[in-house]
Amino acid sequence: MLEPSSNPDQMLMPRSSRVVAFSIASLAAAGAAVADPPAAPPPASPKQAVIISFDSASDISQWKRSRALATRTGAHFTYFVSCVFLLSPETRKAYMAPGKTSGKSNIGFAASKQDVADRLEQINLAVSEGHDIGSHACGHFDGKDWSKADWLSEFGSFKHILENAYSINAITAEPAGWREIARKAVGFRAPYLSANKALYEALPKAGYLFDASGVSRGPARPPTSNGITRFSLPQIPEGPDTRRVIAMDYNLYVRHSGGFERPSKADEFANRTYDAFRAAFDAQYQGKRIPLELGFHFTLMNDGAYWNALERFAGEVCTRPDVECISYRDYVSRRDGGEKQASVGG
């Protein structure tokens, strides 16, 4: 028979253990919950990117209108410039397209020397406000049959005319940094979205970093191949039958009115366009948040229906804290630079 210990601590330990065990058992019997450690918060969603671009970028009033839209919404756009609009009737022979004689263009030239000067001013202002200038080639010819050498010739014409636009047109007071603006034109969209294998061989040789000539079934993350990030305008559901259409104003114009003006239906077309943009946006915003790309021209088709839809759409989504309307170049620069996208709410 064991003798009781004379150590008070040893005598108390068994009793204490019984009290703890009894307390836990009593709580369990009474149905009291024992708190779990707090769960880790779910990972924050990335911001939804929307990439809005304009092809040819000619009309001065539309330059001003687009920049005003950007100011209201905080958006940054990509302007794919056609270099023939940096040549006046007197200087048009500075451009020669592949297989053509000099001074030929599918879309004409600037109206005058003053028109060129006004457009150069708009380009300067746009760049100072954070927008991106890209290339839409020069004469808006279909390059589907061009060789690599043809594409390189066209790229060379674009670079030369953009960089030397002030001197070619004898416009005085070339602003400081203008040639740096020209050198930063590292994105391209082919006229008519008409691309071929030779184009993608020529793009890296000419110093480009991205191309936006593709078309995809719905929004798609842009892959990078041979140093060129390749963006695609998505086909999105549109209209009462939700048939897919390329998310560009011209394609909507053809869908809605066969490429002919029907101003009496402008409001209807604007509403259909807005609904299609918003549905495509909502699908990504509530889903995988793949960038949504939208394309426009400076032409006011169907009495401006598509620009009216754009302004309504951008005014609603680009102002959200978890959405960013950014340029193609900024999207590529962030990704290639390893810069992390800001998280929702952060």
Side-chain angles (χ1 to χ4, degrees):
M1 181 174 164
L2 297 174
E3 295 293 333
S5 172
S6 59
N7 186 326
D9 293 334
Q10 290 180 344
M11 294 175 65
L12 290 173
M13 283 175 66
R15 184 178 301 170
S16 175
S17 300
R18 286 197 300 274
V19 170
V20 171
F22 173 78
S23 299
I24 294 175
S26 300
L27 288 170
V34 178
D36 292 327
S45 298
K47 288 188 176 184
Q48 174 65 49
V50 179
I51 306 175
I52 298 168
S53 58
F54 303 96
D55 290 4
S56 291
S58 174
D59 188 82
I60 302 301
S61 64
Q62 293 301 96
W63 271 104
K64 294 177 180 178
R65 183 176 176 181
S66 63
R67 289 176 44 241
L69 174 62
T71 298
R72 293 196 304 273
T73 62
H76 286 157
F77 303 136
T78 295
Y79 296 91
F80 291 109
V81 174
S82 296
C83 82
V84 289
F85 295 125
L86 303 181
L87 296 174
S88 70
E90 293 76 26
T91 60
R92 69 186 186 279
K93 290 188 179 295
Y95 167 63
M96 185 169 68
K100 309 287 183 184
T101 57
S102 62
K104 301 294 184 183
S105 166
N106 257 357
I107 51 176
F109 294 86
S112 64
K113 175 179 175 178
Q114 185 59 52
D115 187 40
V116 174
D118 292 343
R119 191 164 296 105
L120 292 173
E121 178 186 27
Q122 290 300 313
I123 292 173
N124 267 297
L125 289 169
V127 170
S128 72
E129 293 160 359
H131 301 292
D132 176 25
I133 303 301
S135 168
H136 197 44
C138 285
H140 212 276
F141 292 105
D142 188 340
K144 67 179 184 299
D145 296 322
W146 282 359
S147 66
K148 179 180 176 181
D150 290 334
W151 283 111
L152 288 173
S153 173
E154 184 78 349
F155 294 154
S157 294
F158 178 88
K159 183 177 184 299
H160 172 74
I161 292 168
L162 180 62
E163 190 168 330
N164 297 281
Y166 283 88
S167 59
I168 289 172
N169 293 281
I171 299 170
T172 57
E174 177 183 306
W178 171 257
R179 291 168 190 270
E180 182 63 20
I181 289 174
R183 285 191 287 270
K184 287 183 177 178
V186 294
F188 179 72
R189 174 173 284 153
Y192 309 108
L193 304 179
S194 186
N196 61 5
K197 181 180 178 182
L199 169 65
Y200 294 107
E201 293 172 349
L203 282 167
K205 180 74 172 176
Y208 287 93
L209 298 179
F210 70 86
D211 171 77
S213 307
V215 175
S216 59
R217 183 178 173 83
R221 298 194 188 279
T224 298
S225 176
N226 197 24
I228 302 296
T229 300
R230 295 172 64 168
F231 292 92
S232 298
L233 287 167
Q235 295 175 314
I236 60 175
E238 188 277 334
D241 57 1
T242 64
R243 284 189 300 133
R244 290 182 179 268
V245 63
I246 297 173
M248 177 175 265
D249 55 0
Y250 179 75
N251 301 82
L252 288 157
Y253 179 54
V254 172
R255 162 73 62 85
H256 291 161
S257 59
F260 295 95
E261 285 296 312
R262 296 184 66 183
S264 63
K265 292 211 164 192
D267 289 344
E268 175 189 333
F269 297 151
N271 288 333
R272 281 180 56 169
T273 299
Y274 166 80
D275 289 343
F277 289 169
R278 190 56 196 264
F281 170 85
D282 288 344
Q284 294 308 317
Y285 182 78
Q286 297 163 7
K288 297 180 179 180
R289 299 209 167 178
I290 297 171
L292 175 65
E293 302 173 43
L294 304 174
F296 297 86
H297 295 77
F298 275 9
T299 305
L300 294 177
M301 305 168 214
N302 276 329
D303 201 28
Y306 310 106
W307 271 70
N308 292 339
L310 166 64
E311 289 177 323
R312 180 183 173 191
F313 172 80
E316 288 183 2
V317 307
C318 295
T319 54
R320 293 186 177 192
D322 52 355
V323 175
E324 54 182 2
C325 294
I326 60 174
S327 70
Y328 281 112
R329 189 182 66 193
D330 284 349
Y331 184 91
V332 172
S333 296
R334 172 191 293 137
R335 191 185 64 178
D336 290 353
E339 180 184 340
K340 291 187 177 180
Q341 194 178 42
S343 298
V344 173

